[in-house]
Every structure is written in structure tokens, then in C-alpha cells.
Amino acid sequence: MINKKELSDFISFVKKKESQSPSIADIGFEPIEGFFKSEYNIKQLVIWRNENRKFYRDTSITDKPKTIKWFKSLLKDDYRIIFILNNRKLNSIPFGMLGISSFDFNNSSCFLESIIRFNKDGPRDGMYMAINILCEWVFKNTKVKKIKVNCFLDIVNAVSLYHRCQFKPLDLIPLIGKKKIQGVHWVEANKGTKAKRYYLVMERINNA
């Protein structure tokens, strides 16, 4: 079972760079707290989010105030950490984002979240390498035994990526699209509902 205090302390240390973040030769993992100190970076994050909004459950267009509000909510969560992925071979240019959250302390599990490739500035197979190294890092430094991820069933490239990263199908969640002024918010429907879109839940188990 995951110890709440141990996990909270560990994540706090990582955010303050007092503990080692995940590491791989070509990819840097920068806690988003440091990235957010730059106005330019905030503007870039808004652009990247809007360019990739089809990958989110809420496809509404975002802006700077909404992004700052999201960031402040992130700061209040002791069991959530998001990394900006940097290409170390290209002067640490950001190319993606990746995080962990939703820890289930009784079942020793958590979820990958905020998985997005911003652009094509990453190394070859950059997202694949980043997901794998983050999963290995979580298994090594916490008592997590299972890591889950949600993705839209109709985004084949994402499903294929997680399959390559050793995630196996676990559940299928029907979704209903609720139209908004500038997008659609996909919300969970009752089990058995025939839906236009589905969330595929996948899981990777630590077999070490």
C-alpha cells in the first residue's frame, strides 16, 4: 500500500529539485513549476494546448487566464506532478508534457495524465521513451504497482503508443459529447450506453 506522507514528501522534493527527476540521455524532465515562471512559456503552453485540443476531454479553446487557473489548481494537489519534456540535443527545446496523478492508495495504482506532444522538436520516439522512463521511475521510487492511462479509442496512434509502452486494455468507457461555445466536453455515460466515442482504459503492471 502507498504511504500518503511518503508519496507527498517525495513529489514535493522532486518539484523543488531536491530529488532526482526521471532521466534519459536525450530527454530532460522539467517540473512544470519552474517552466511556469516564464511569461513566454505560459503563452507557448496556451498555443500548444489549443493546437492539440482534440486529445482532451474538453476541446474548448483555452487562454492565459484559464491556463493560470489550471496551474494554480495543480499547485494545491500534493499527489500530482507534471513534467515538461525537453530535447537535450536541441538546446532543451520543449517538445511535450507528461505527468502522474490520481493515486489509489489502497490498490497501489496511479494514472498517467497530461500526455501531449507539443511539436516535432523531440528526439525520435521521444514520447515513447519518456513514457517508459517515467513508468520505470514511478515503480522504482514509489510503491505503485500499476499505472493506468485513458485515451480515446478512435485516436489510433495514441492506443498504439501505449501498447508499445506495455499497457494492456482494461476497460471501455462510453462518452457523451456536450457541446460548448467553442468545443465539446466529453463526459462519461452509463455502462452499456451506445456512444459515438469511448475512452479506453489501459494498464501497465510492474512485474519486477
Side-chain angles (χ1 to χ4, degrees):
M1 184 180 295
I2 302 171
N3 182 291
K4 289 186 178 182
K5 186 177 187 307
E6 286 180 0
L7 179 65
S8 176
D9 288 346
F10 173 70
I11 289 179
S12 176
F13 289 149
V14 173
K15 289 179 179 179
K16 295 175 183 176
K17 295 188 176 181
E18 294 177 13
S19 180
Q20 187 175 9
S21 295
S23 179
I24 190 170
D26 297 344
I27 300 173
F29 287 74
E30 178 186 358
I32 199 171
E33 285 76 7
F35 184 81
F36 234 80
K37 293 178 181 178
S38 162
E39 283 289 322
Y40 174 79
N41 288 344
I42 295 173
K43 291 178 182 178
Q44 285 298 109
L45 198 59
V46 171
I47 292 171
W48 292 326
R49 167 65 171 77
N50 286 331
E51 288 178 343
N52 294 282
R53 57 198 182 101
K54 70 176 183 179
F55 296 106
Y56 289 85
R57 287 180 67 166
D58 187 343
T59 66
S60 301
I61 294 175
T62 194
D63 54 24
K64 184 179 175 181
K66 289 179 182 177
T67 302
I68 291 175
K69 183 179 180 180
W70 167 79
F71 177 67
K72 288 181 177 179
S73 69
L74 173 65
L75 292 178
K76 296 177 182 178
D77 193 335
D78 294 334
Y79 306 108
R80 188 181 183 194
I81 185 166
I82 295 176
F83 296 102
I84 299 296
L85 306 174
N86 301 314
N87 187 345
R88 287 177 169 166
K89 288 190 172 182
L90 286 178
N91 297 316
S92 293
I93 292 177
F95 71 90
M97 185 165 67
L98 179 60
I100 50 173
S101 64
S102 302
F103 285 86
D104 185 328
F105 297 98
N106 292 322
N107 294 312
S108 300
S109 67
C110 69
F111 271 83
L112 292 184
E113 70 139 299
S114 299
I115 308 162
I116 202 74
R117 188 181 75 165
F118 297 149
N119 48 49
K120 296 181 180 179
D121 291 331
R124 182 179 176 83
D125 279 336
M127 293 304 295
Y128 166 77
M129 291 190 292
I131 290 171
N132 274 321
I133 198 69
L134 180 64
C135 288
E136 292 169 6
W137 179 79
V138 170
F139 287 145
K140 178 181 178 181
N141 292 285
T142 72
K143 294 180 181 179
V144 167
K145 301 298 182 185
K146 295 176 286 187
I147 300 176
K148 299 177 183 180
V149 65
N150 292 331
C151 65
F152 289 114
L153 183 63
D154 56 0
I155 300 182
V156 179
N157 288 344
V159 176
S160 176
L161 171 63
Y162 300 135
H163 179 74
R164 288 179 61 207
C165 294
Q166 304 175 47
F167 285 84
K168 306 297 182 185
L170 183 67
D171 197 10
L172 205 58
I173 301 173
L175 301 172
I176 295 176
K178 293 190 174 182
K179 291 185 179 181
K180 303 179 72 172
I181 295 175
Q182 293 180 315
V184 178
H185 187 198
W186 294 96
V187 297
E188 292 186 17
N190 294 327
K191 282 285 187 179
T193 300
K194 289 185 178 180
K196 290 185 178 180
R197 297 194 84 182
Y198 291 85
Y199 241 178
L200 177 63
V201 184
M202 303 181 77
E203 181 180 73
R204 174 169 169 170
I205 298 175
N206 183 12
N207 294 315

